Amino acid sequence: ATSASVLFGEIYVPGGLTADGQPTNIVEAYSPANNAWRPIANLPKAISEGVTLSDGSYLYLVGGWDGSSYLDNVYVYDATSDSWRPLANLPIPLASATGGVIAGKLFILGGTDGQSALDTCFSYDVAANNWQECPAMLTPRSNAGASVILNKLYILGGDEVVDTELPFGEFYDPTTQTWQV
């Protein structure tokens, strides 16, 4: 119940669940060059099921679950100071979302609000520190995978209803603000 992202050649894994199933605030980074893990600054709170993204300069953790509530928290990690700080909250609390970074904007897609899978799309402008709603996906998805290729955000898999797999992927073009199968 965690996600990971690459920053400066290391794989960062913030939060997740401990062996007893509880969310944690522990963050570790893996260095493939050194074949070793190292601890970094803890998250401000215990979080699992958040979305981890990197824009190449900073690491972001968006949303998640703290063991009792779905979260709208957004945190940024600065490797230079080894510290986390809060950013503008998501418009809604969610967990198990996915996303990507295109042209200086974070895109957060789908997830769950604890009741059902979501078709939501939100973009965060890093420079302006604010969230905008983007057009909804073609179908609700939680626990999906996403990747950015040629400035388009592809989303694959996920659950529309618990334990039901989706038969198609889709992609978002931020230039035209449209989704396509």
Side-chain angles (χ1 to χ4, degrees), residues 45 48-49 63-73 92-96 111-116:
K45 65 191 305 181
S48 71
E49 300 179 45
W65 181 69
D66 67 4
S68 61
S69 300
Y70 289 85
L71 305 173
D72 61 1
N73 300 105
I92 62 170
L94 55 77
S96 301
T112 181
D113 59 6
Q115 302 297 314
S116 59

Side-chain angles (χ1 to χ4, degrees), residues 33-146:
N34 298 325
N35 190 27
W37 288 92
R38 67 180 179 89
I40 65 167
N42 286 346
L43 291 167
K45 65 191 305 181
I47 299 174
S48 71
E49 300 179 45
V51 180
T52 307
L53 298 173
S54 172
D55 64 3
S57 297
Y58 298 97
L59 191 72
Y60 302 88
L61 182 63
V62 181
W65 181 69
D66 67 4
S68 61
S69 300
Y70 289 85
L71 305 173
D72 61 1
N73 300 105
V74 180
Y75 297 103
V76 62
Y77 174 74
D78 183 340
T80 305
S81 62
D82 187 30
S83 64
W84 293 90
R85 66 180 169 83
L87 296 175
N89 287 356
L90 273 165
I92 62 170
L94 55 77
S96 301
T98 191
V101 180
I102 301 174
K105 289 187 177 181
L106 310 181
F107 288 85
I108 303 299
L109 310 172
T112 181
D113 59 6
Q115 302 297 314
S116 59
L118 304 171
D119 63 0
T120 54
C121 175
F122 298 106
S123 68
Y124 174 77
D125 185 320
V126 174
N129 188 29
N130 67 20
W131 288 94
Q132 300 291 320
E133 194 166 346
C134 35
M137 293 185 296
L138 301 176
T139 190
R141 296 172 188 265
S142 66
N143 296 306

